[in-house]
């Protein structure tokens, strides 16, 4: 789903509830990650009763295997960092 479609859907849901658009409300309603500048732009457009400008979807999409590899690397890095922090605390 494109950023624009996700934001439009969220803005319609808020309007249906009779709520005004704010960054916090939009972020809470979104089920996908949308860059903050685009959310702010959507709030500004909603307050001016304008349609959303064209927004591109993320250009890079990773396969599940690539995402898993990245997550495993991230977990390894975090585990090493945690071990260093625990060692530092034990030495104090």
């Amino acid at each position: 789903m494109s950023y624009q479609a996700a934001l439009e859907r969220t803005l319609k849901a808020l309007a249906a509830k009779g709520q005004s658009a704010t960054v916090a409300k939009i972020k809470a309603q979104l089920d996908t990650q949308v860059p903050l500048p685009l959310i702010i732009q959507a709030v500004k457009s909603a307050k001016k009763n304008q349609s959303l400008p064209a927004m591109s979807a993320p250009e890079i999409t990773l396969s599940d295997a690539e995402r898993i590899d990245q997550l495993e690397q991230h977990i390894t890095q975090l585990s090493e960092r945690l071990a260093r922090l625990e060692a530092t605390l034990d030495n104090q």
Side-chain angles (χ1 to χ4, degrees):
M1 177 181 300
S2 70
Y3 292 145
Q4 186 170 2
L7 288 168
E8 285 175 350
R9 189 185 79 240
T10 302
L11 289 172
K12 285 180 185 176
L14 289 172
K17 294 177 185 177
Q19 297 179 350
S20 61
T22 65
V23 172
K25 288 179 184 176
I26 290 175
K27 283 185 78 168
Q29 293 284 324
L30 287 170
D31 56 357
T32 59
Q33 293 267 334
V34 176
L36 188 58
L38 297 180
I39 295 173
I40 293 169
Q41 190 176 23
V43 170
K44 288 178 182 178
S45 295
K47 290 188 181 201
K48 293 179 183 177
N49 291 324
Q50 297 175 342
S51 60
L52 291 175
M55 300 174 186
S56 61
E59 294 178 14
I60 299 174
T61 55
L62 300 175
S63 70
D64 288 342
E66 292 170 328
R67 287 187 64 231
I68 290 169
D69 287 341
Q70 282 186 350
L71 290 170
E72 287 175 342
Q73 289 173 2
H74 193 86
I75 289 170
T76 301
Q77 292 169 351
L78 290 174
S79 297
E80 291 169 356
R81 183 175 176 200
L82 178 61
R84 285 193 308 269
L85 288 171
E86 288 175 337
T88 302
L89 287 174
D90 288 342
N91 292 332
Q92 290 181 350

